[in-house]
Amino acid sequence: MKTKIQFYCTECGNETPKWQGKCSACGAWNTIVERPTEPKKKSGAISMRSTRIAINRPKPLEEVETTTELRFETGMCELDRVLGGGAVKGSLVLVGGAPGIGKSTLMLQICDNLCRFATVLYVSGEESERQIKLRAERLHIRNQGLYLLSETNLENILDAVHEQKPDILIVDSIQTLYNGELTTAPGSVGQVKDCTMALMQVAKGEGITVFVIGHVNKEGSIAGPKVLEHMVDCVLYFEGDQNLNYRILRAAKNRFGATNEIGVFEMEDIGLSEVPNPSEMLLDGRPKNTPGTCVTCVMEGVRPVLAEVQALIAPTSFNVPRRTSNGFDFNRVNLLLAVLEKRGGLMVSTCDAYINVIGGLFLDEPAADLAMVIALASSFRDKPVPGDLAAVGEVGLTGELRSVSALGQRLSEVRRLGFTKCLVPTRNTGKLIEPEGLQLIHVHNIREALAVLQ
C-alpha cells in the first residue's frame, strides 16, 4: 500500500495539499514540511473527557448563577495584581518566558502560601522530585500540602490528579507532556494542543486551578500553535534581561481582569522578591549632569511608573545614518527624529541615533514622546537636562504637544520621587491641580520645550 504524503506548517500546524514557500495561514516562509499521513486516532483529550469528567447538561439562562468568581490570593501581591486581584478557581493560566528567567521559581514560591489553605500538586517533566526538593529547601518552601510528581505522560498525570484531588495543579512545562494515543513527538503541534485541551477540561470540569508553564520561541511568543493562547483563560509573560536582577510580569490576555497591569520582581539568592515601588528601582543609578537622558512617567494599568529614557546622537561616517531602539517603538523613534529636525530645527538626519529605556521596560505609550525628544535634543546639543526635571506629553507631526490621560496621577508620582519641575502640554492646564512643591512648565510645542534646555 502506497504511503500518502501530507504537508503542514511547523509554525502554526496548518495543513496544505501541496508544498509552498509561504504558509497561507501564518505567513511564515520555508516552514512547510512533508510527513506520511497517519491514521486518524481518537484524541486523548476527548476520550479521557468521556470517561473521567461528568457531562455538562444545558441549563436555562435564568438558572445560571451570576455570583462573582471565586478568587484567592497567591501570596505575591505583584502576581495578584497582574491576575486581576488573585487567581480564579477553575481557571487555566499559561506562564511563558525565556529559559532561566524564573518561571519555575515563581510557581514554586507561590506554593508556600497556597499550601496554607489548599492542596497543591506540582508536576514537572523537566526535573526530578529530588531536584525540586532541593530548590524548595533553598526557597524555604514548607512541605505540608505540597505534592511532587515527575511525569510526562498525560494519562498518568490525570490519574494522579483524580487520585490526589488537588485544589491547584502546576505543570512544568506543557512542551514536555505527551499523550500516548498520539504518534507525534512531545512538543509538537498536535501534542501541545491535545494536552492543553485535557488540562482545560480538568480545570473547568472539576474546578481545579491550573498553572501551566510554557517556553517561548526566538520571536518571544509562546512556543507551539497560536491557538494555545486562545484556549487558556490567562496568558502571562515573564520578561527581563538575564544579566539584570529585575523581572517584569505582564498579562497578554486575561478573561478575569485587565491586561495592562505589570508586576515587578527582583531575582535574589533565595528566589524572587517583590518590588512594590518600581519607579525607585528604574531610576536607581541615574547619572547626574549627563546629556542625553530624561525622565518620564507612564501608566501601567492604574499604576504610574517613572522611566528613564536615554538617547545618544553622534555624527555618522556612513551615507545612511544608523538607528537603534531598545524599549521604544522603532518607527516611533524615526517619526520623532523627523519632527525634531523639521519642527525643532536640529539637523539630526546626518547623525546616528541610539535609544534605550532603562530597566527593561517597553514604552508603547505616546506620553513618553516629549521625554524622548528632550533626550535627543540634549544629546545633540551636548547639554544635560536638569536633574529635577521630568517631561510628559504626546508629540504630533506638526510639533504640537497633545494632552495625555491621568496626568494628575503622573504628576503626583513625579513629585513623590523628588522632582521639582515637569514639562506638560498646555492643553491640560484647565483641569490640572499642581501638586505642592512641583513647578509645572506649560509648553505648546517642541520648540518651547527645547527652549527650556537653553
Side-chain angles (χ1 to χ4, degrees):
M1 182 177 180
K2 187 177 180 181
T3 303
K4 294 183 179 180
I5 300 297
Q6 67 177 5
F7 298 88
Y8 76 103
C9 175
T10 57
E11 289 290 331
C12 65
N14 178 51
E15 296 183 356
T16 60
K18 61 180 180 179
W19 186 90
Q20 52 190 15
K22 180 180 180 181
C23 177
S24 58
C26 64
W29 287 90
N30 299 324
T31 58
I32 304 297
V33 297
E34 67 178 24
R35 64 180 176 189
T37 303
E38 301 169 354
K40 292 186 178 180
K41 292 191 175 184
K42 193 174 183 180
S43 173
I46 298 177
S47 62
M48 285 179 283
R49 179 184 63 185
S50 60
T51 58
R52 301 178 183 275
I53 301 176
I55 301 176
N56 291 328
R57 301 298 182 185
K59 294 181 180 179
L61 179 61
E62 59 272 11
E63 294 183 8
V64 177
E65 297 181 359
T66 58
T67 55
T68 58
E69 62 272 2
L70 297 178
R71 289 186 181 269
F72 56 90
E73 297 181 355
T74 62
M76 304 191 78
C77 296
E78 294 297 304
L79 176 58
D80 292 338
R81 179 195 299 272
V82 179
L83 289 173
V88 178
K89 183 179 179 180
S91 62
L92 179 58
V93 181
L94 178 62
V95 183
I101 202 68
K103 305 182 297 297
S104 301
T105 301
L106 176 64
M107 291 293 100
L108 196 57
Q109 277 190 251
I110 66 174
C111 295
D112 189 31
N113 180 71
L114 297 177
C115 289
R116 299 177 183 177
F117 59 87
T119 303
V120 182
L121 176 59
Y122 191 101
V123 179
S124 177
E126 302 175 346
E127 298 177 291
S128 64
E129 287 96 343
R130 184 176 179 274
Q131 289 177 304
I132 303 174
K133 172 69 174 180
L134 293 175
R135 184 151 49 91
E137 292 178 348
R138 178 173 59 88
L139 299 176
H140 306 291
I141 306 299
R142 63 190 68 195
N143 299 327
Q144 186 176 3
L146 177 60
Y147 296 85
L148 304 180
L149 176 63
S150 180
E151 183 60 67
T152 57
N153 187 286
L154 177 64
E155 187 173 359
N156 295 338
I157 293 174
L158 294 180
D159 287 336
V161 170
H162 288 86
E163 178 182 353
Q164 195 66 42
K165 298 187 183 303
D167 301 303
I168 298 162
L169 173 64
I170 300 176
V171 179
D172 183 11
S173 64
I174 189 62
Q175 279 82 12
T176 61
L177 301 190
Y178 72 93
N179 181 4
E181 298 186 8
L182 301 180
T183 58
T184 54
S188 61
V189 173
Q191 290 283 7
V192 171
K193 288 174 60 177
D194 194 77
C195 294
T196 304
M197 178 63 70
L199 294 176
M200 184 184 68
Q201 292 169 357
V202 170
K204 304 303 180 183
E206 302 187 9
I208 299 176
T209 303
V210 181
F211 290 92
V212 176
I213 295 178
H215 299 304
V216 298
N217 51 28
K218 60 183 179 180
E219 286 81 17
S221 57
I222 300 293
K226 194 67 177 176
V227 70
L228 180 64
E229 298 185 9
H230 298 283
M231 297 167 62
V232 301
D233 297 313
C234 183
V235 180
L236 305 181
Y237 280 100
F238 211 33
E239 306 169 351
D241 190 345
Q242 295 187 10
N243 298 321
L244 301 177
N245 293 333
Y246 297 106
R247 306 285 189 265
I248 297 177
L249 182 69
R250 65 176 73 247
K253 170 190 176 181
N254 192 356
R255 290 174 178 168
F256 305 107
T259 58
N260 52 5
E261 295 285 356
I262 66 168
V264 184
F265 301 86
E266 182 178 4
M267 180 64 77
E268 299 177 345
D269 294 336
I270 58 174
L272 292 165
S273 62
E274 301 178 76
V275 180
N277 194 343
S279 297
E280 293 182 358
M281 175 269 292
L282 294 172
L283 297 182
D284 186 27
R286 179 173 174 243
K288 298 181 179 179
N289 299 322
T290 303
T293 176
C294 186
V295 173
T296 187
C297 186
V298 296
M299 295 297 296
E300 294 289 350
V302 296
R303 171 194 286 185
V305 177
L306 265 63
E308 179 187 355
V309 180
Q310 292 186 346
L312 177 62
I313 299 292
T316 183
S317 56
F318 302 97
N319 294 331
V320 179
R322 185 175 182 181
R323 305 282 190 256
T324 302
S325 176
N326 181 29
F328 209 88
D329 184 67
F330 180 76
N331 294 326
R332 191 73 179 176
V333 170
N334 290 329
L335 184 149
L336 294 177
L337 286 169
V339 173
L340 183 61
E341 178 166 350
K342 182 70 174 180
R343 309 301 179 186
L346 302 184
M347 300 299 297
V348 295
S349 60
T350 59
C351 300
D352 293 334
Y354 305 91
I355 308 299
N356 183 39
V357 179
I358 300 299
L361 278 180
F362 187 87
L363 305 183
D364 55 356
E365 191 180 5
D369 290 352
L370 182 57
M372 178 64 66
V373 170
I374 294 295
L376 290 169
S378 172
S379 178
F380 181 83
R381 295 174 174 176
D382 201 24
K383 186 172 183 179
V385 179
D388 60 345
L389 176 68
V392 179
E394 178 183 356
V395 177
L397 290 180
T398 62
E400 86 283 6
L401 296 183
R402 313 300 295 267
S403 61
V404 297
S405 61
L407 186 58
Q409 293 178 259
R410 302 174 196 261
L411 296 180
S412 298
E413 182 71 6
V414 168
R415 181 68 189 99
R416 191 181 67 82
L417 268 294
F419 291 86
T420 59
K421 300 177 184 177
C422 186
L423 287 171
V424 296
T426 305
R427 290 175 175 81
N428 284 105
T429 306
K431 306 177 183 178
L432 202 58
I433 299 177
E434 294 189 14
E436 184 177 356
L438 181 64
Q439 178 187 357
L440 301 185
I441 304 176
H442 304 284
V443 289
H444 292 84
N445 48 54
I446 62 172
R447 283 190 177 270
E448 296 182 8
L450 297 180
V452 177
L453 302 180
Q454 298 178 352

